[in-house]
Amino acid sequence: MASHGSNIQMVDEKVQLGNAGSGFKLGALVISLVLLAVGVAMGFFAGGEHARAHHARFYHAYLVGFAFCLSIGGGGLFFTLMQHMVKVGWSVNVRRVPEALAASLPFLGILAIPLLIPVWGEKGGELYPWAVAHVVAEHHMAPETALSKPLDVQLADASPDAGKDIAAEHMAAQKADPSAEHMGAASEESEGELEPVGEHSKYSWNTYDELAQEKQPWLSKGFFTIRIVFYFLVWTLLAWHFVGKSRQQDTTGDPNISRKLAILAPVGIIAFALTLTFAAFDMIMSLDHHWYSTIFGVYIFAGGMIGMFATAILTYRALQSKGFVQKSVTTEHFHDLGKYLFTFVFFWGYIGFSQFMLQWYASLPEEIFWWARRGVTSADLAHNTQGYQGQYAGLSIALLFGHFIIPFAYLISRHIKRSKEALIVGACWMLVAHFVDMYWLIMPEYNNGEFILDVAVLATSLGVIGLFLFYFVHQLGRANLRPIGDPRTPESLAFVNM
């Protein structure tokens, strides 16, 4: 580390965005509203017998864009908390972009409201199958089939080939009783037949089933809503306190603010880790309430950190191209941001492989069909299961290479991380890869693995991202582009990589 002097923080450069971002904000807002209008029109005014399927497509596409933004905003909050906890100096000058991302989390809380509509809707189920109102699915299958047994019996009898056995029996039952449709019959407590909106589970059910009933204490509409509100309340309070105090320090220069934030940061990190994990379970994993992974929250966290570091790199490069923070954010800072980007690319690959390998090895029936919808399974199993298994196989391979192998090899070089143009390419690549990852997690649940990527899906997802970008730039303009009152600012200004 290089030494620093007493007046080194008095650097003559532009550190206030002012009105420079007004045009960009207005453009992002208008374009995002137009895109969302297109998505809403194609999702809710298409009409016809497939109206609810169009609604479901809109909500799934909306969740893709929302999850992309939420993971990046969460990454900004984690980075802010971590830097205060370890009292690090190098990152002070590049902390304002993560802080602006964290400060956008309350706005994302407002954008989460549309995701509650299909939960509380009259019929429900367009997004979360467990939210279907007053309907319990029943199979029209012969009593001797495995699928006619209670779920706990099926799992108790499971063998390494249980998934193939169940899939074969399902097909045989469908041939024996052609009247057994994907839907199943409604129970007596149903207030009417539920229209098919897309299949969500390994049993080809798109209705409330016995496993959803077992999980009802957790997956209930009221408790689900309370949890979502609680998550955003915790994130809002953390962002409000840490970002607000950091901005206040620009005016007061009080070093005690940094000391107090360092004491509170460990508590904030624990709260963030728990809420992010359960939010990932609730908002994404429960799209199929049969499938589960205890490290799914870590997987979402890893992807979000990749998106956050890529966003920080691109934002500071864009700011410098307009004459801002040209002296305080140096090649040394970009080098370290590139190191973190590379680190989380590797970490994402490790977590993703661990999640897949353990479930592939166990081959439990409640797990393998989630992978089958994404084409990550044998051709035989994909052929014998109902739905569109295999259509996402190409995208799964693209994620393996595009989200891990290629960027790992690209970003490992010191020269890449210290090159302006090369690092921009890597950051852009990883933002696209992260979006593809969110799409891969969510859209296969729309219709049991049917690949769909049309104008409605892209317009809806990009519309949400555009709104987030608008508010992010708005937050950037509310404070200096680098902290000027932090006592570790001189250390950051003099930072040199070893």
Side-chain angles (χ1 to χ4, degrees):
M1 299 293 294
S3 61
H4 55 79
S6 55
N7 338 336
I8 198 170
Q9 64 194 81
M10 304 301 296
V11 175
D12 183 18
E13 62 177 357
K14 294 166 63 176
V15 295
Q16 292 184 339
L17 192 60
N19 296 324
S22 300
F24 182 88
K25 284 196 300 181
L26 180 61
L29 179 61
V30 172
I31 293 174
S32 60
L33 290 177
V34 170
L35 289 173
L36 277 177
V38 171
V40 170
M42 298 183 71
F44 293 92
F45 298 100
E49 58 179 329
H50 302 296
R52 292 194 72 230
H54 292 155
H55 300 170
R57 179 184 61 184
F58 171 83
Y59 288 123
H60 282 78
Y62 189 96
L63 182 58
V64 171
F66 181 83
F68 175 82
C69 299
L70 179 61
S71 61
I72 294 176
L77 179 58
F78 176 81
F79 182 84
T80 301
L81 294 170
M82 181 59 70
Q83 303 315 298
H84 284 293
M85 186 182 76
V86 299
K87 304 176 183 178
V88 70
W90 78 268
S91 63
V92 170
N93 286 353
V94 293
R95 209 176 62 211
R96 281 291 153 84
V97 167
E99 286 181 355
L101 291 171
S104 302
L105 288 170
F107 180 69
L108 286 175
I110 299 174
L111 294 184
I113 295 175
L115 297 175
L116 298 177
I117 296 176
V119 174
W120 287 95
E122 181 181 355
K123 294 181 178 179
E126 293 97 339
L127 185 59
Y128 300 106
W130 52 263
V132 173
H134 307 298
V135 176
V136 179
E138 298 175 357
H139 277 291
H140 295 280
M141 295 187 175
E144 64 273 11
T145 63
L147 289 178
S148 64
K149 301 177 183 179
L151 183 63
D152 56 345
V153 176
Q154 295 177 40
L155 300 185
D157 295 341
S159 65
D161 295 323
K164 296 181 181 180
D165 296 340
I166 291 176
E169 291 177 4
H170 193 151
M171 292 292 291
Q174 290 284 355
K175 293 178 181 178
D177 183 4
S179 65
E181 299 294 338
H182 298 319
M183 221 2 232
S187 67
E188 295 181 358
E189 57 182 311
S190 172
E191 297 179 357
E193 291 190 9
L194 188 72
E195 303 170 24
V197 296
E199 298 165 354
H200 295 264
S201 77
K202 66 180 187 298
Y203 297 107
S204 296
W205 290 341
N206 57 1
T207 57
Y208 188 91
D209 55 37
E210 83 271 15
L211 188 55
Q213 199 165 17
E214 291 290 331
K215 296 183 177 182
Q216 196 273 337
W218 184 264
L219 293 179
S220 61
K221 298 180 180 182
F223 192 28
F224 177 85
T225 303
I226 290 172
R227 291 197 306 275
I228 298 301
V229 172
F230 175 74
Y231 301 148
F232 280 99
L233 179 61
V234 171
W235 298 334
T236 297
L237 290 175
L238 288 173
W240 172 78
H241 184 73
F242 279 85
V243 177
K245 288 296 183 181
S246 175
R247 293 173 178 177
Q248 178 185 336
Q249 196 176 45
D250 283 358
T251 304
T252 65
D254 184 4
N256 288 321
I257 291 178
S258 294
R259 285 193 283 269
K260 292 177 180 178
L261 291 180
I263 294 172
L264 186 60
V267 178
I269 287 180
I270 293 173
F272 170 79
L274 292 174
T275 50
L276 179 69
T277 298
F278 282 100
F281 290 169
D282 287 340
M283 303 185 77
I284 302 179
M285 195 166 73
S286 73
L287 290 169
D288 179 0
H289 51 276
H290 299 86
W291 183 77
Y292 60 89
S293 166
T294 55
I295 60 173
F296 187 73
V298 183
Y299 181 90
I300 295 297
F301 164 74
M305 293 302 292
I306 289 173
M308 188 279 294
F309 283 115
T311 301
I313 290 168
L314 293 176
T315 302
Y316 279 115
R317 287 302 189 193
L319 288 171
Q320 289 188 337
S321 70
K322 300 298 182 181
F324 298 97
V325 292
Q326 290 184 329
K327 298 179 180 178
S328 57
V329 180
T330 67
T331 300
E332 309 301 329
H333 296 97
F334 283 108
H335 187 176
D336 263 29
L337 291 173
K339 287 179 184 178
Y340 274 108
L341 183 62
F342 169 77
T343 299
F344 278 96
V345 165
F346 180 82
F347 183 63
W348 177 91
Y350 168 73
I351 295 298
F353 172 76
S354 299
Q355 182 173 258
F356 168 70
M357 183 272 294
L358 292 173
Q359 296 196 349
W360 172 82
Y361 181 79
S363 193
L364 297 178
E366 76 274 19
E367 295 175 346
I368 56 176
F369 282 78
W370 189 90
W371 296 102
R373 285 194 293 279
R374 290 154 181 80
V376 190
T377 183
S378 66
D380 181 54
L381 178 60
H383 176 73
N384 286 323
T385 49
Q386 295 291 323
Y388 302 91
Q389 282 78 9
Q391 293 194 8
Y392 279 87
L395 194 61
S396 299
I397 295 174
L399 270 180
L400 171 63
F401 283 90
H403 204 305
F404 176 58
I405 295 178
I406 293 175
F408 179 87
Y410 182 79
L411 292 169
I412 198 172
S413 170
R414 171 186 175 92
H415 301 290
I416 294 295
K417 292 189 282 286
R418 296 181 70 85
S419 167
K420 176 180 178 180
E421 294 77 13
L423 192 57
I424 289 176
V425 170
C428 289
W429 180 285
M430 291 315 304
L431 274 180
V432 174
H434 182 49
F435 177 82
V436 172
D437 187 30
M438 295 300 102
Y439 175 89
W440 180 83
L441 288 173
I442 294 165
M443 285 307 295
E445 304 302 326
Y446 164 67
N447 192 24
N448 204 30
E450 177 187 12
F451 185 84
I452 177 171
L453 185 63
D454 57 13
V455 173
V457 172
L458 285 175
T460 303
S461 299
L462 294 179
V464 177
I465 295 173
L467 287 179
F468 175 74
L469 189 59
F470 154 78
Y471 196 76
F472 163 63
V473 176
H474 170 70
Q475 287 295 327
L476 273 181
R478 294 191 61 190
N480 295 315
L481 295 173
R482 67 171 177 85
I484 60 174
D486 193 296
R488 289 183 290 271
T489 297
E491 182 181 345
S492 184
L493 289 167
F495 171 65
V496 176
N497 271 283
M498 300 300 293

